[in-house]
Amino acid sequence: MPIQLHQNIEISEFILTTASSPEEKNNKFLIQCEHLNFVVSAPVKSLIESLLTYQNSSQSLVESYFIKTRYKATEEDIIALARQHIPEELFADMELPPQRNPFIFSMTLLPEYILKYLSVLLTPLFNKWLSAALALVFICVHFSLFANISHAATLGISMSTIPMFLLAMLMSYFIHELGHITACKRFNCPHGSIGFGIYIVFPVFYADVSKAWRLSQKQRAVVDLGGIYFQLILLIVVDCYAFFYESQFAYVLSWTITLTMLHTLNPFFKFDGYWLLSDLSGITNLHDKMRTALNRIKHKVFKGTPLNFKNDKTLYLLVPYSLMAMLFFTYIATFLGSKLWQTGQEIAAVISSLPNSSLLSNIDLMLEQGTLLSLLKALMWAALFTLLLSFYLKRIKNLLVNNNVKASNK
């Protein structure tokens, strides 16, 4: 055979509910090959189908192409078209690239065959009336207690409760991923497992919902929000417990979960907010478009250049969302910077109180005074705050500066 594609290719309609015309809605198709996803036009889809039919039947390539497209072409012309328009990863003579793994370490916690039973029990939570009611309860409860939650965050929690706090946060992350899985199940979309990994130095959970590409835009948006929705339900419970038992621990837990939810919705990272904005708007290569939007704002502020919204209507969505994301980044950077300064002062105070003697003598003195543990804790927090701050600043720089890196698939 002169040309072959991988056999495990799946083709489905890519539904664009925000398309500007009926023709555009029906002119995009999703091509899936294992972990790879491509959105192609109707002619490319027909070309792929003709090649697959040719591989799996006795029809000639010319005959198969004519049946699918109603166009006559020579075998050489069809091969040239295929090499020009079909992604090279789909050809059988090309080895599929390995699936990107952003984790230093990862492992499966709950496989698909267990999750499919658990998610069935939870799908009623995605009833639209129940979802709206729970969202309303969350708004009323969380915002009425927000002053208490913010005040508790400034006070923190005791060292003895940190292990329990970390365990509670890990549980909230697991519930978040379970929300994504359940949303997939709600729309009868295949899903994978839930796993645990180490991202940079942070423990995270992850869910395999890559098959959600075959859903409509609105359904994909529900899957994107599924994790936040389940954490929202969790926060109702946490907030009520904090209020009735006046629990400092629960208030700080509520504040931290809220912060992680906002972080997840931030489109500067390829987290839920990125895919939500991409799915709702139908915009691909979202980071490139956001970079363009922010650069236009910069040129408007410093050079007086018109924004030209009329020529790019996507900016009506990207500009305000990008500005909100920048405000969130500013808050995080300010918070981390203040904590870093505070921790630095604590370290300096401990060191300045030590006599000018040998290291071992100073360690013995700190052990006697009980300050060695405080110093180690301060150094640990300083390292963590520095890592987080540099991580955020690097992401902002990458978004503001065009580094000519192509956006990856979902």
Side-chain angles (χ1 to χ4, degrees), residues 2 29 34 67 72-73 99 119 130 133 144 148 225 232 272 281 327 335 339 361 404:
F29 294 88
E34 294 189 12
I67 292 174
K72 292 183 177 180
Q99 188 169 7
S119 58
L130 179 58
S144 65
N148 294 343
L225 287 172
L232 175 151
D272 298 345
S281 64
L327 289 174
F335 175 79
K339 286 293 185 182
S361 298
N404 296 320

Side-chain angles (χ1 to χ4, degrees), residues 334-385:
T334 303
F335 175 79
L336 292 175
S338 64
K339 286 293 185 182
L340 185 59
W341 174 258
Q342 178 184 347
T343 305
Q345 288 181 316
E346 293 175 3
I347 295 173
V350 172
I351 294 176
S352 62
S353 66
L354 298 174
N356 188 15
S357 57
S358 66
L359 177 62
L360 290 178
S361 298
N362 285 332
I363 292 177
D364 290 338
L365 180 61
M366 285 189 290
L367 285 172
E368 292 177 6
Q369 296 175 345
T371 56
L372 181 60
L373 182 60
S374 298
L375 178 62
L376 293 176
K377 184 184 74 170
L379 289 171
M380 180 193 69
W381 283 120
L384 180 60
F385 292 142

Side-chain angles (χ1 to χ4, degrees), residues 269-296:
F269 304 100
K270 285 194 174 181
F271 296 154
D272 298 345
Y274 177 93
W275 300 116
L276 176 66
L277 185 58
S278 178
D279 289 334
L280 287 178
S281 64
I283 302 171
T284 56
N285 298 322
L286 186 57
H287 278 168
D288 290 338
K289 301 292 177 59
M290 289 182 68
R291 186 180 295 113
T292 299
L294 291 172
N295 282 331
R296 289 195 185 185

Side-chain angles (χ1 to χ4, degrees), residues 86-381:
I86 296 177
E88 64 179 10
E89 294 88 347
L90 298 181
F91 290 102
D93 58 354
M94 295 293 294
E95 184 177 352
L96 289 176
Q99 188 169 7
R100 291 184 178 183
N101 187 352
F103 307 114
I104 298 174
F105 164 81
S106 62
M107 60 179 292
T108 298
L109 290 181
L110 284 181
E112 177 187 349
Y113 71 88
I114 293 178
L115 286 171
K116 68 180 181 181
Y117 297 110
L118 181 58
S119 58
V120 165
L121 298 175
L122 296 173
T123 50
L125 289 172
F126 281 93
N127 175 278
K128 63 179 180 180
W129 298 112
L130 179 58
S131 301
L134 289 172
L136 182 61
V137 171
F138 166 76
I139 292 172
C140 294
V141 172
H142 198 64
F143 282 90
S144 65
L145 296 177
F146 195 73
N148 294 343
I149 294 170
S150 300
H151 178 66
T154 62
L155 300 177
I157 56 176
S158 64
M159 286 288 293
S160 61
T161 59
I162 287 181
M164 182 63 70
F165 183 83
L166 293 177
L167 184 62
M169 285 303 302
L170 288 175
M171 181 59 67
S172 76
Y173 297 149
F174 176 79
I175 290 173
H176 178 101
E177 301 305 331
L178 187 58
H180 291 309
I181 292 291
T182 306
C184 269
K185 193 67 175 181
R186 168 65 178 80
F187 300 116
N188 297 316
C189 176
H191 59 74
S193 59
I194 289 180
F196 174 81
I198 301 296
Y199 180 67
I200 305 180
V201 295
F202 309 109
V204 294
F205 289 94
Y206 60 90
D208 179 7
V209 292
S210 56
K211 298 297 184 182
W213 271 111
R214 63 185 61 179
L215 299 174
S216 69
Q217 281 179 281
K218 289 182 179 179
Q219 290 173 336
R220 293 199 303 272
V222 173
V223 174
D224 297 333
L225 287 172
I228 297 293
Y229 173 56
F230 268 37
Q231 283 184 302
L232 175 151
I233 298 172
L234 173 63
L235 277 180
I236 295 174
V237 178
V238 173
D239 287 348
C240 290
Y241 180 89
F243 176 75
F244 287 112
Y245 291 92
E246 298 182 355
S247 171
Q248 171 74 7
F249 178 91
Y251 276 128
V252 175
L253 180 63
S254 177
W255 180 84
T256 310
I257 293 176
T258 302
L259 197 66
T260 59
M261 290 166 64
L262 292 174
H263 174 72
T264 301
L265 285 174
N266 195 311
F268 282 9
F269 304 100
K270 285 194 174 181
F271 296 154
D272 298 345
Y274 177 93
W275 300 116
L276 176 66
L277 185 58
S278 178
D279 289 334
L280 287 178
S281 64
I283 302 171
T284 56
N285 298 322
L286 186 57
H287 278 168
D288 290 338
K289 301 292 177 59
M290 289 182 68
R291 186 180 295 113
T292 299
L294 291 172
N295 282 331
R296 289 195 185 185
I297 295 173
K298 182 176 68 176
H299 292 156
K300 174 64 176 178
V301 173
F302 294 104
K303 299 181 180 180
T305 306
L307 289 175
N308 294 326
F309 276 22
K310 293 181 180 179
N311 299 330
D312 190 354
K313 294 184 178 179
T314 61
L315 291 179
Y316 283 111
L317 177 64
L318 288 175
V319 167
Y321 205 99
S322 299
L323 290 176
M324 287 190 293
M326 286 295 292
L327 289 174
F328 176 74
F329 263 125
T330 302
Y331 169 75
I332 291 294
T334 303
F335 175 79
L336 292 175
S338 64
K339 286 293 185 182
L340 185 59
W341 174 258
Q342 178 184 347
T343 305
Q345 288 181 316
E346 293 175 3
I347 295 173
V350 172
I351 294 176
S352 62
S353 66
L354 298 174
N356 188 15
S357 57
S358 66
L359 177 62
L360 290 178
S361 298
N362 285 332
I363 292 177
D364 290 338
L365 180 61
M366 285 189 290
L367 285 172
E368 292 177 6
Q369 296 175 345
T371 56
L372 181 60
L373 182 60
S374 298
L375 178 62
L376 293 176
K377 184 184 74 170
L379 289 171
M380 180 193 69
W381 283 120

